[in-house]
Each structure stands twice: as structure tokens, then as C-alpha cells.
Amino acid sequence: MSGRILVELHDLIQAEKDLTHLMNLLKANKAHVQSIGDSIGDWRGQAAEELRSKMAHFLTVLTRRITEFEHQQMDLAKYTYRMERADLER
């Protein structure tokens, strides 16, 4: 090896698929947590408030992570496209 990084186009395409699958799981988890939050909306007391606070924090972090992954997914798609074009031009 000459110290260069070698990435197969197939690996990039698989990474895109894996990232899409991960995104779908994260979005499903977010929807599930939101539905739980909706179902405890009428609970009262300190424990309920603590649970709502923890769930709100979790949703905030999860939303931020989903956004980060979406940006990375777009970057990966652009990179994969450039590599596909470069491979065709060879």
C-alpha cells in the first residue's frame, strides 16, 4: 500500500443504505417517545414533571442528532455521486 485511503464505491453505497436505515429507526424512536409524551400529558406531580422534562431533553438531543445525520447523509450522497462520476470517467 502506498498510504492512500481506498474506498470501494460499493462500500459508499452500502454506507448510504445503512445511514438511511439508521435515520428511519431514529425517526421511529422519536415518534414513539412523542406518543408516550402525549399519553402522559394529563399526569400530575413531581415525578410526572421530571419525566416530561427528561423526555423533552431526550427529544431535543435526538432531534439535533437526526439533523446532524441528515447533513452527513447529504454529504455522503454528494461524495458517492462524485466518486461514481469519477469511476465512469476512468
Side-chain angles (χ1 to χ4, degrees):
M1 288 258 170
S2 62
R4 297 182 342 170
I5 297 175
L6 300 175
V7 178
E8 295 286 332
L9 192 52
H10 169 20
D11 294 336
L12 292 172
I13 293 168
Q14 185 60 46
E16 280 189 78
K17 289 178 184 178
D18 292 345
L19 191 51
T20 298
H21 179 69
L22 175 62
M23 293 290 296
N24 290 336
L25 289 174
L26 289 174
K27 289 177 181 179
N29 285 338
K30 180 180 175 183
H32 181 68
V33 170
Q34 286 172 324
S35 72
I36 291 171
D38 293 343
S39 69
I40 65 168
D42 60 345
W43 290 11
R44 301 197 190 302
Q46 182 178 353
E49 289 303 317
E50 288 176 13
L51 180 59
R52 275 193 280 279
S53 175
K54 288 180 181 181
M55 289 177 67
H57 176 71
F58 176 79
L59 285 172
T60 299
V61 171
L62 184 56
T63 300
R64 185 174 56 234
R65 294 288 166 95
I66 288 171
T67 301
E68 290 171 4
F69 280 135
E70 286 172 339
H71 287 113
Q72 290 175 356
Q73 188 176 28
M74 288 187 312
D75 290 344
L76 180 58
K78 289 176 188 175
Y79 181 75
T80 301
Y81 176 77
R82 286 195 317 264
M83 291 301 105
E84 287 174 328
R85 298 295 302 158
D87 190 49
L88 290 174
E89 292 172 2
R90 267 191 322 145

